[in-house]
Each structure stands twice: as C-alpha cells, then as structure tokens.
Amino acid sequence: MKVTILANYAPHAAKGLMQGSDREAAIKALFESVGGKMASLMFTRGAYDVVVNGEVPDQSAGMGMALAVRASGSLTDLVILEELNMKAVLAAANKAAATYKPAG
C-alpha cells in the first residue's frame, strides 16, 4: 500500500533537526521496521515541514508506524494519505448508489 505522510515538527524536534539529526535514516528505518520501504523524503515550505512517500504492507503497519511517531511527541501534525484503487472505489460506489434510498 502506497502512503504519503505530511507532518510538522514540534519545537524540540526542530531543534534536533537543526543539530544534525539524520531524519532520512530514521524514517527509512521506521518504514523498514514494519516491513515497508521509504521512497522519498522532502522538507517543504508551507503548510507542512516534511512530506514522505513510501510503501507499507497494510493499514495496520501504517497505523502502527503513525501511532509510534505520535507517541514520541516529535510532531505537532501528522496526516497519512493512502493510495486508493479508484476503479474498485467506483465499483463499490455504483453498487451502493444502485441500492441506497435517500430520506425524503
């Protein structure tokens, strides 16, 4: 499952980053710890400090990774976007739309 992670560093973590913390190695190891693989890491200017793209085996692995990072207190914001199979989503939506009866 492909994921995109958007995050903002907490002040103490930004200080660690300024002091030379190797975030690429840490994030790569994080993905690998759940059987995944980091594809790219970008530090960005704007709404988020960092954008990470990678793959994880399943939702449990992705959410476990997110829970561990949130528990560390190093981020103030963490958003995980999961890539969807849009053909499967549309097939399910069309089945649901064919049977759903709205109120009124």
Side-chain angles (χ1 to χ4, degrees):
M1 178 173 82
K2 290 183 182 178
V3 295
T4 297
I5 299 170
L6 311 169
N8 288 313
Y9 285 107
H12 74 278
K15 185 176 180 181
L17 185 64
M18 290 171 60
Q19 294 171 344
S21 178
D22 185 352
R23 302 324 306 149
E24 186 168 358
I27 296 166
K28 182 179 177 186
L30 176 67
F31 270 84
E32 290 172 354
S33 74
V34 298
K37 183 179 179 183
M38 182 186 80
S40 68
L41 166 66
M42 262 192 312
F43 292 96
T44 58
R45 184 176 65 92
Y48 293 97
D49 297 331
V50 64
V51 177
V52 180
N53 290 296
E55 292 187 39
V56 292
D58 53 34
Q59 287 180 327
S60 296
M63 291 309 296
M65 200 170 62
L67 186 59
V69 172
R70 282 189 177 109
S72 76
S74 62
L75 301 176
T76 59
D77 225 355
L78 178 66
V79 176
I80 299 178
L81 305 172
E82 299 173 5
E83 182 180 57
L84 296 174
N85 175 336
M86 202 56 185
K87 286 182 181 181
V89 170
L90 292 173
N94 285 317
K95 283 182 184 178
T99 60
Y100 178 69
K101 304 293 182 219

